[in-house]
Amino acid sequence: MPPPPLPPRPKTPRIILYHQTHYTSSKEYISILPLLTENTGTTHVILAAIHLNNPPGNIHLNETPPDDAIFETLWDEVLVLQDSGIKVLGMLGGAARGSFERLDGSEQSFEAYYCPLRDMVHKHKLDGLDLDVEEEMSLEGIIRLIDRLKADFGQEFLVTLAPVATGLINQRHLSGFDYQMLEVLRGGVIDWYNVQFYCGWGSMADPQCYDLIMAMGWPPEKVVAGVVTNAANGSGWVGIDVLVVVFMELVQKYPGFGGVMGWEYFNAMPGGLGRPWEWAENMANAMAMGRAW
């Protein structure tokens, strides 16, 4: 049986923000609505981070069950963004280990952990899942998970992965499996890769690291360039003025450039805590200027 056709790609580069810090240190809720109301050009928001804990069904969004009252406003805002065309995904995994180990076992174990995750995604009407595998996982295990998500939610359900940049050029990385082999076997149903060009795994201070990935044969429309949005969010922060120039060049150099991802929203520069949406505005302007260059 031939692989399913590639999903349609956006006409403009994606502008993606992860949203993990939902409250400030003083317990003030951080609204994501300005990403819509300020006309920032944001295309996707990824809620972080979903963790599968023991026993099966013990799911947390960060440190709290996703149905807790603390998330009521967040879920309401998610619906507003979705109604206006911004896709909202959940991020599974990340730096906290265990979720993918629990999904990489026997069929019985997989079903026990996967089914509550499926039900949570369905209940909160997420548009997709971002699989941030930062622990050892088998190639067979990640394929089983991807296949099951597409089977249960349909081909329109977004499935993305979040490798570090070295993972796309067969150097040391965090996930265990071979990303190039995964792309060969399941590239037709993987929508794109949110690639981490920071924390020593790559850099967006210039185009060289992205160019190297392109030289390996990766399609530009599937390689989203991920950066930290504030020096406090991880090493390898690159100032907004430099990023604008680099992304203008990448948009001009690679037709179909996949876009840019930022970790994370709440304190994104240059606006910081008061106006974090300005990061997305700057990225949208860079994409537009690159196309007009």
Side-chain angles (χ1 to χ4, degrees):
M1 178 181 296
L6 286 172
R9 304 298 178 199
K11 294 180 181 180
T12 57
R14 306 171 188 90
I15 299 173
I16 303 168
L17 273 160
Y18 283 85
H19 183 42
Q20 180 176 48
T21 303
H22 306 134
Y23 286 85
T24 67
S25 57
S26 58
K27 307 303 181 184
E28 295 179 26
Y29 175 72
I30 298 166
S31 174
I32 51 177
L33 289 183
L35 292 172
L36 171 65
T37 59
E38 298 293 330
N39 297 313
T40 62
T42 302
T43 60
H44 301 80
V45 171
I46 303 178
L47 304 181
I50 300 168
H51 303 301
L52 308 184
N53 306 303
N54 282 321
N58 181 15
I59 299 176
H60 283 176
L61 179 56
N62 297 325
E63 303 299 326
T64 308
D67 291 331
D68 190 273
I70 196 173
F71 295 122
E72 286 182 1
T73 302
L74 174 66
W75 293 124
D76 288 342
E77 291 191 351
V78 164
L79 293 176
V80 174
L81 263 59
Q82 290 173 318
D83 286 344
S84 299
I86 297 176
K87 301 293 186 181
V88 181
L89 298 80
M91 186 196 96
L92 177 65
R97 302 171 66 88
S99 296
F100 292 102
E101 177 185 356
R102 296 179 179 107
L103 291 168
D104 200 22
S106 67
E107 288 297 328
Q108 182 179 5
S109 176
F110 174 80
E111 292 295 328
Y113 286 102
Y114 170 79
C115 289
L117 171 66
R118 175 202 62 199
D119 295 344
M120 175 262 185
V121 169
H122 179 75
K123 177 177 182 178
H124 293 289
K125 300 180 175 62
L126 293 174
D127 295 303
L129 271 184
D130 179 60
L131 309 178
D132 187 1
V133 187
E134 298 190 16
E135 58 184 304
E136 289 290 318
M137 189 178 196
S138 68
L139 181 62
E140 295 78 11
I142 193 67
I143 286 175
R144 175 173 61 180
L145 176 57
I146 292 169
D147 287 350
R148 187 61 179 275
L149 288 169
K150 289 292 187 176
D152 287 346
F153 292 100
Q155 294 305 308
E156 296 301 313
F157 185 80
L158 298 172
V159 173
T160 64
L161 287 97
V164 296
T166 53
L168 298 192
I169 53 177
N170 282 343
Q171 294 184 8
R172 185 177 66 91
H173 61 98
L174 301 173
S175 307
F177 53 84
D178 183 324
Y179 277 95
Q180 288 188 319
M181 184 57 67
L182 177 62
E183 177 68 8
V184 168
L185 296 174
R186 287 298 183 277
V189 294
I190 295 171
D191 290 271
W192 70 84
Y193 298 87
N194 295 301
V195 184
Q196 300 179 49
F197 289 85
Y198 48 86
C199 291
W201 301 104
S203 174
M204 274 291 118
D206 58 55
Q208 293 183 15
C209 192
Y210 196 94
D211 288 341
L212 181 58
I213 291 173
M214 293 298 99
M216 296 290 292
W218 287 89
E221 66 269 15
K222 295 190 72 173
V223 180
V224 172
V227 300
V228 287
T229 61
N230 187 306
N233 297 345
S235 63
W237 179 73
V238 178
I240 198 79
D241 292 342
V242 174
L243 285 182
V244 166
V245 173
V246 171
F247 288 130
M248 284 175 60
E249 180 175 342
L250 290 177
V251 169
Q252 193 275 334
K253 190 173 185 179
Y254 299 108
F257 172 63
V260 58
M261 165 274 280
W263 179 272
E264 57 175 308
Y265 168 67
F266 85 105
N267 63 350
M269 297 298 288
L273 284 170
R275 299 175 62 87
W277 57 87
E278 290 183 358
W279 181 89
E281 291 178 335
N282 278 269
M283 294 300 100
N285 289 336
M287 304 297 126
M289 289 187 291
R291 290 194 299 272
W293 201 357

